[in-house]
Amino acid sequence: MRRLTTGLALGAALATIVAGTTSASAVGAPSAGTPASSPSAVAAGSDHAALGLAAAEKLVPRSVITDKDGTTHTRYDRTWNGLRVVGGDLVVEKSAKGALEEVRYNAGRKSVAAPSTTPKLAKTAAVATGAERSKASGEKSQGELVVWAGSGSPRLAYDVVTTGVKADQTPSRLHTIVDASTGAVVSSWDEIVNGTGNSMYSGTVTLNTTQSGSAWLLKDSHGNYTTDLNGSTSSTAAGTQFTDADNVWGDGTASNRQTAAVDAEYGAEKTYDYYTNVLGRAGIWNDGRGARSRVHYGNAYVNAFWDGTQMTYGDGKSNTHPLTSIDVAAHEMSHGVTENTAGLAYTGDAGGLNEATSDIFGTAVEFYANSSADPGDYLIGEKININGNGTPLRYMDKPSKDGASQDCWTTGTKNLDPHYSSGPLNHWFFLASEGSGAKTVNGVSYNSPTCNGSTVTGAGRSNIEKVWYRTLATKLTSTSNYAAAREGAIASAKELFPSNAAVCTAVESAFSAISVPAGAQSCGGTTTPPPTSGNLLQNAGFESGATVWTGTAGPITNNTGRPARTGSWKLWLGGNGTTGTETEQQTVTIPSTATAATLSFWVRIDTAETTSTAYDTMKAQVVVGGTTTTLATYSNANKNSSYVQKSFNLLPYKGKAVTVKFTATEDSSLQTSFVVDDTAVSVG
């Protein structure tokens, strides 16, 4: 293996193509997490029982990732009476102790029970309906009886897939969901959705090539390689592997067939490196495999696309502007990452989230590449001159500047083309990264407004990239909407940056700034903690670890599975999902001269319990002279996603030794976590 540097003019283009919702077997690990092995059938059976699913319903393991603290996120598809459920995906989160933490059902739908498994409509009629909707030539259709759970009530349907080639040479794999009772079309999407663009920019790149005998292959050590289609429009053709005798590739002109191949290979390598080095993901499938890039597709084809397995690039208008660049590779290959994590459908809010995800990581890779010829910026396709006047394709600081994208989320966002419904999330990414108002980044001037008139302070692009990747990999499902994106991103920020509240604040305030309504998740902890002056408790914030306090071993922890309110350490009681009791206590003496004495602490409660019945409890108590007094009892029914401060008067105990005690008791199933931080016994 030898690395070389080749000077050439790089062909740049942005094609906003997406592979829709085809499934695959790998899922991405979030930053601060590592991939685990695929979930087993045994684990699926255990989770099936824990979730209380119907006997006719089966979990089909897709992937699992494990965080550094041992928390696992297992992604499943489902079947109902042996039929594949489209839109029935879910994510099961468990603590390191194996306790069920949370279940994220796609569209919040636990049950996928269809009224019947016997269709009233013949498959041939459904296939004919799908064929009628296709605009492709040479089409072929096939239908599969499924349960549709992507919207409305679960129902029996046919998933009709029609393949062919459109008039503009773009291949098509159109899915048409046909109700098996009424024959109505329930939903439809194409796995390959195309955009437009052509351009060229200059740069000097380093390629990782492979020697084969006396020749060199345009193939790196991960298996990213590039082939020549030589005008073919076949969706299955592999093309001819590019080889070279002296390992010097291309000359920077479109007339040299190697130039387009160099651009494509460079983009693929940089995108792979970004996901590996920054996000801890081993390529598109998270298994170390590279991807194939095919160049010289069709004739004067002004497009590029990811089809679920590979990248394909046309040569642009008049075959003079190959659509091959790091921008294309990063954007399009990120569609592959989305496909193999959340699997966001290319329709509704999910379609906008899908498209914006590729813009976000396309931007991230551009910054990562750190090219002096093409510095990182928040202008999508700024080099391609698609409008003919030097303006970019999209603007992340103010998406509406393109004339079609939305700045702010509305209830009508879901009805837009995904290239335009992506606007609010692109806007969120800029605001959360850089903040609102006027600023200059890498020589480019921006002025980002907010939809609610607020001022947003950014927390840094590198932090927000990681937050969004974790959201994509562990929180979202196939039809997630903007509300789910907000919930997932705030949770991800707290999980990744428990000691950096500014990240969560930026994430939360940026979602508010694009008009996505608040949900259950919030950053919390906005009130100044009690002053340490006059605090009788020692190690009151637990930052010294398991010292001073006495009781059960383990609850005082810096485990990142639950965020501390301040610092890194906290008291985490419960969270086991098994029968048990945990306590921690500390004794102080309240001066007889005290005119005021107050016990205060902050508590955060989350639970996997789904009812208001108090199955798991935590008591705040004081023990004086052998008598235990319970000041308050909290349970799973009091769950709150952010820290809340509690205060109690201890003045009646002045002149006495008082043991402050926290006791949590759980039953045999479904965890509840009581997390306490920033305690104080303040006297005056």
Side-chain angles (χ1 to χ4, degrees):
M1 194 71 61
R2 190 177 85 182
R3 299 187 66 83
L4 71 155
T5 301
T6 306
L8 72 164
L10 293 178
L14 178 65
T16 51
I17 320 303
V18 60
T21 55
T22 52
S23 62
S25 59
V27 66
S31 180
T34 56
S37 58
S38 297
S40 67
V42 174
S46 174
D47 287 345
H48 185 283
L51 300 183
L53 300 179
E57 187 175 340
K58 302 299 181 186
L59 293 176
V60 181
R62 192 197 303 178
S63 58
V64 63
I65 59 173
T66 303
D67 295 343
K68 288 182 178 179
D69 68 356
T71 300
T72 58
H73 309 265
T74 306
R75 195 174 286 272
Y76 291 105
D77 293 309
R78 289 190 272 182
T79 64
W80 172 259
N81 281 319
L83 298 177
R84 181 169 62 93
V85 180
V86 180
D89 49 309
L90 57 95
V91 180
V92 175
E93 180 179 330
K94 288 183 175 179
S95 71
K97 300 175 182 179
L100 183 62
E101 297 276 336
E102 188 172 353
V103 183
R104 300 179 182 90
Y105 296 98
N106 183 46
R109 185 172 291 106
K110 179 176 180 179
S111 173
V112 293
S116 170
T117 57
T118 303
K120 296 179 180 179
L121 183 75
K123 181 192 290 187
T124 53
V127 169
T129 296
E132 289 173 4
R133 295 177 68 89
S134 176
K135 304 300 181 183
S137 60
E139 64 182 32
K140 296 180 181 180
S141 297
Q142 59 183 12
E144 176 191 1
L145 191 63
V146 299
V147 173
W148 168 255
S151 62
S153 299
R155 73 195 81 174
L156 196 63
Y158 290 101
D159 179 9
V160 179
V161 181
T162 306
T163 60
V165 179
K166 297 178 182 178
D168 69 352
Q169 305 177 70
T170 303
S172 174
R173 284 203 294 268
L174 180 70
H175 286 256
T176 305
I177 304 297
V178 182
D179 191 303
S181 294
T182 66
V185 174
V186 178
S187 185
S188 183
W189 67 90
D190 202 315
E191 290 183 23
I192 303 171
V193 181
N194 67 308
T196 57
N198 61 1
S199 71
M200 192 166 289
Y201 69 95
S202 299
T204 299
V205 301
T206 298
L207 297 175
N208 183 355
T209 56
T210 303
Q211 189 169 16
S212 177
S214 60
W216 295 85
L217 307 180
L218 203 55
K219 180 178 183 178
D220 73 4
S221 57
H222 302 297
N224 293 298
Y225 69 105
T226 305
T227 63
D228 187 353
L229 282 174
N230 197 30
S232 171
T233 57
S234 169
S235 61
T236 59
T240 304
Q241 169 74 61
F242 275 93
T243 62
D244 189 82
D246 62 3
N247 205 18
V248 177
W249 304 83
D251 63 5
T253 68
S255 60
N256 185 314
R257 299 188 70 78
Q258 287 188 353
T259 298
V262 171
D263 299 343
E265 182 69 18
Y266 174 68
E269 291 183 14
K270 280 298 183 183
T271 302
Y272 186 101
D273 289 348
Y274 167 79
Y275 276 104
T276 299
N277 298 333
V278 177
L279 300 179
R281 182 182 182 85
I284 291 171
W285 297 278
N286 201 25
D287 59 3
R289 284 185 294 151
R292 179 168 63 202
S293 297
R294 306 185 306 169
V295 297
H296 303 307
Y297 173 90
N299 180 33
Y301 180 62
V302 190
N303 220 323
F305 55 87
W306 165 261
D307 67 7
T309 61
Q310 61 195 353
M311 283 296 306
T312 302
Y313 301 90
D315 284 327
K317 186 177 181 180
S318 302
N319 292 316
T320 60
H321 296 78
L323 278 81
T324 51
S325 74
I326 191 172
D327 301 281
V328 173
H331 179 101
E332 303 304 338
M333 293 174 74
S334 292
H335 279 306
V337 173
T338 296
E339 177 184 320
N340 287 281
T341 50
L344 291 165
Y346 207 69
T347 184
D349 267 9
L353 299 178
N354 187 321
E355 186 65 22
T357 294
S358 283
D359 283 349
I360 287 169
F361 292 122
T363 296
V365 172
E366 187 176 69
F367 273 99
Y368 174 80
N370 196 29
S371 167
S372 59
D374 185 20
D377 54 55
Y378 295 92
L379 304 175
I380 308 302
E382 74 283 357
K383 296 287 187 179
I384 67 176
N385 196 27
I386 190 173
N387 300 318
N389 58 4
T391 58
L393 181 61
R394 286 194 287 275
Y395 304 77
M396 299 185 93
D397 63 325
K398 187 173 172 49
S400 62
K401 288 173 67 175
D402 67 11
S405 294
Q406 285 186 324
D407 293 333
C408 315
W409 179 85
T410 70
T411 56
T413 298
K414 63 181 179 292
N415 299 320
L416 298 177
D417 180 284
H419 299 98
Y420 308 132
S421 60
S422 63
L425 190 67
N426 279 339
H427 192 192
W428 166 83
F429 180 69
F430 182 90
L431 288 169
S433 298
E434 303 291 347
S436 58
K439 52 185 52 65
T440 301
V441 180
N442 276 355
V444 179
S445 297
Y446 306 95
N447 195 348
S448 189
T450 59
C451 306
N452 61 355
S454 66
T455 298
V456 176
T457 300
R461 186 194 65 261
S462 62
N463 291 332
I464 304 305
E465 292 169 9
K466 296 178 178 68
V467 167
W468 185 247
Y469 176 68
R470 182 172 178 84
T471 305
L472 182 76
T474 69
K475 303 296 188 289
L476 302 183
T477 52
S478 58
T479 61
S480 288
N481 55 19
Y482 269 88
R486 176 181 175 129
E487 292 287 277
I490 293 172
S492 295
K494 291 188 289 188
E495 292 163 3
L496 288 178
F497 301 98
S499 300
N500 188 350
V503 176
C504 187
T505 299
V507 167
E508 183 178 27
S509 59
F511 269 111
S512 295
I514 64 166
S515 298
V516 177
Q521 286 285 348
S522 66
C523 296
T526 57
T527 303
T528 303
T532 56
S533 176
N535 187 355
L536 300 180
L537 291 173
Q538 300 179 56
N539 192 23
F542 308 103
E543 295 303 313
S544 297
T547 62
V548 183
W549 296 87
T550 60
T552 308
I556 296 178
T557 179
N558 63 351
N559 185 308
T560 58
R562 294 294 182 277
R565 180 179 177 273
T566 59
S568 302
W569 291 75
K570 64 275 180 179
L571 173 61
W572 180 0
L573 296 166
N576 302 300
T578 57
T579 302
T581 299
E582 296 176 331
T583 67
E584 290 293 341
Q585 60 189 34
Q586 182 181 154
T587 302
V588 298
T589 299
I590 300 177
S592 59
T593 57
T595 57
T598 303
L599 166 65
S600 64
F601 58 90
W602 294 78
V603 62
R604 176 185 183 277
I605 303 170
D606 67 85
T607 184
E609 301 284 1
T610 58
T611 71
S612 59
T613 303
Y615 292 112
D616 309 314
T617 62
M618 185 195 82
K619 295 179 179 179
Q621 301 172 314
V622 292
V623 183
V624 180
T627 300
T628 300
T629 301
T630 298
L631 303 174
T633 300
Y634 308 98
S635 74
N636 49 276
N638 304 120
K639 63 181 179 181
N640 52 283
S641 59
S642 59
Y643 279 94
V644 177
Q645 189 177 34
K646 307 294 183 180
S647 299
F648 304 92
N649 181 22
L650 299 188
L651 189 59
Y653 303 111
K654 67 179 182 179
K656 298 179 180 180
V658 176
T659 299
V660 176
K661 184 177 182 180
F662 298 96
T663 301
T665 301
E666 283 188 292
D667 66 2
S668 60
S669 67
L670 298 178
Q671 73 86 27
T672 301
S673 293
F674 304 91
V675 189
V676 176
D677 205 356
D678 296 328
T679 65
V681 174
S682 304
V683 297

